Amino acid sequence: MPETLIMGAVAYAPKVVTIWEGFKAYFAERGLAFDYVLYSNYERQVKAQFEGAIHVAWNSPLAWVRADRMAKARGVAVSAVAMRDTDRDLTSLIVVRADAGIESLADLRGRTVGFGAVDSSQATLIPLEHLSRHGLQAGRDFTARRFDLLGGKHGDHIGGERDAALALMRGEIDAACMIDGNHLAFTTEGVLPAGGTRILAQTDAYDHCNFTVSPGAPKELVDRFVELLLAMSWDDPAVRPLMELEGLKQWLPGRTTGYALLERAVDEQGFYAADGCILAADYRY
């Protein structure tokens, strides 16, 4: 019996099972023995990469940062081998109500800013870094209100961002942080009414998820896995619905150049230590 490639994924929503059951069948039809293990949070998934439980992990950007730090501290290496086309060059936004009279970041002094979950790269860590770089510190210059849902899932469920957007429109907070794609989605859904909000600030670009290869994973299996991923076509009716669910039109080779901004945020806010140990005291997962 051929060796099976084992992938880890975090169960942030029911659709995760549909996605990976479908991809499992796709790989099997092409001769790759593949299976997956679902974790309730990214912290356990990353630990599993160093315990030999999984060969590849579908990691959030924050999980990549932790895995990379843990690997370097152990004298081994992890690699980012593939990502979605939609994982590259993203930004986060700080959004205010159009009638709020807030014209610049300086106007947030003394105000309340809404963030996502404590472990959300896109709606908490990176926006906090952006505000800090512009001279605004939480607790000193503004009040930070977190919409802290489903710790350990690194903001994948976007519930905290949606709750922050709703609170903004109710007048409970003065600004809300969200990734650019969710800003568009919330506007389309009517959560943010047309003409009712304004983008106050936009962060620098960063990358999102990637497939992270565990130390010691079998190279031939990983290479075949990546080959099949990159060969998936949006025009293939068998996989297009799965790609839609996973939010991409094309798999691309992995890269790590887009994580520098998050690395700075993690260090500045004391989320992980240099060896990947969790430092955030109020983080529950």
Side-chain angles (χ1 to χ4, degrees):
M1 185 174 179
E3 187 175 0
T4 300
L5 181 80
I6 307 297
M7 186 207 74
V10 168
Y12 65 89
K15 69 176 182 178
V16 171
V17 175
T18 302
I19 291 167
W20 292 109
E21 281 295 320
F23 284 152
K24 180 179 177 179
Y26 174 88
F27 294 135
E29 290 170 1
R30 288 154 182 81
L32 176 66
F34 170 90
D35 207 348
Y36 62 94
V37 178
L38 295 182
Y39 293 87
S40 68
N41 63 79
Y42 281 107
E43 309 310 337
R44 295 192 188 283
Q45 177 167 289
V46 171
K47 284 179 65 178
Q49 292 202 263
F50 294 88
E51 296 168 348
I54 53 176
H55 300 129
V56 180
W58 182 220
N59 271 340
S60 74
L62 190 59
W64 159 259
V65 169
R66 187 181 188 208
D68 187 48
R69 291 182 177 204
M70 289 175 67
K72 289 175 180 174
R74 289 162 168 77
V76 295
V78 291
S79 57
V81 291
M83 62 201 328
R84 300 168 297 191
D85 53 353
T86 50
D87 282 315
R88 295 186 173 193
D89 301 318
L90 308 176
T91 62
S92 291
L93 309 175
I94 301 174
V95 179
V96 297
R97 294 186 304 279
D99 60 358
I102 300 173
E103 303 299 328
S104 69
L105 287 175
D107 293 335
L108 292 178
R109 293 183 186 277
R111 310 264 192 165
T112 299
V113 180
F115 298 89
V118 61
D119 56 357
S120 173
S121 301
Q122 62 204 41
T124 301
L125 295 169
I126 286 174
L128 280 170
E129 190 277 342
H130 185 82
L131 287 165
S132 175
R133 204 150 28 93
H134 287 81
L136 296 171
Q137 292 287 339
R140 183 192 72 187
D141 302 300
F142 64 90
T143 298
R145 179 178 170 188
R146 281 206 317 253
F147 292 81
D148 212 359
L149 299 179
L150 298 177
K153 293 178 173 57
H154 293 186
D156 278 355
H157 50 84
I158 76 168
E161 288 172 72
R162 182 177 281 108
D163 284 355
L166 290 167
L168 175 69
M169 299 317 301
R170 290 194 299 264
E172 297 172 5
I173 57 177
D174 300 295
C177 302
M178 62 197 72
I179 198 168
D180 48 14
N182 286 339
H183 177 260
L184 176 61
F186 298 158
T187 302
T188 302
E189 294 170 3
V191 172
L192 298 176
T197 62
R198 186 169 60 83
I199 296 172
L200 181 68
Q202 185 171 28
T203 69
D204 293 339
Y206 57 87
D207 285 355
H208 213 263
C209 300
N210 73 60
F211 282 109
T212 307
V213 179
S214 305
K219 185 178 185 304
E220 287 187 9
L221 283 179
V222 172
D223 288 348
R224 181 58 175 157
F225 171 70
V226 174
E227 179 185 14
L228 291 174
L229 277 178
L230 300 183
M232 282 186 188
S233 172
W234 179 256
D235 296 325
D236 182 347
V239 294
R240 181 168 180 168
L242 302 173
M243 297 174 81
E244 286 183 307
L245 281 176
E246 189 52 55
L248 75 150
K249 290 188 175 179
Q250 182 182 9
W251 293 104
L252 297 175
R255 68 181 189 184
T256 59
T257 54
Y259 298 115
L261 180 57
L262 180 58
E263 291 273 9
R264 289 202 304 270
V266 165
D267 287 335
E268 179 184 273
Q269 294 155 49
F271 198 90
Y272 293 136
D275 61 0
C277 287
I278 300 169
L279 299 177
D282 58 348
Y283 182 27
R284 302 290 180 268
Y285 60 90

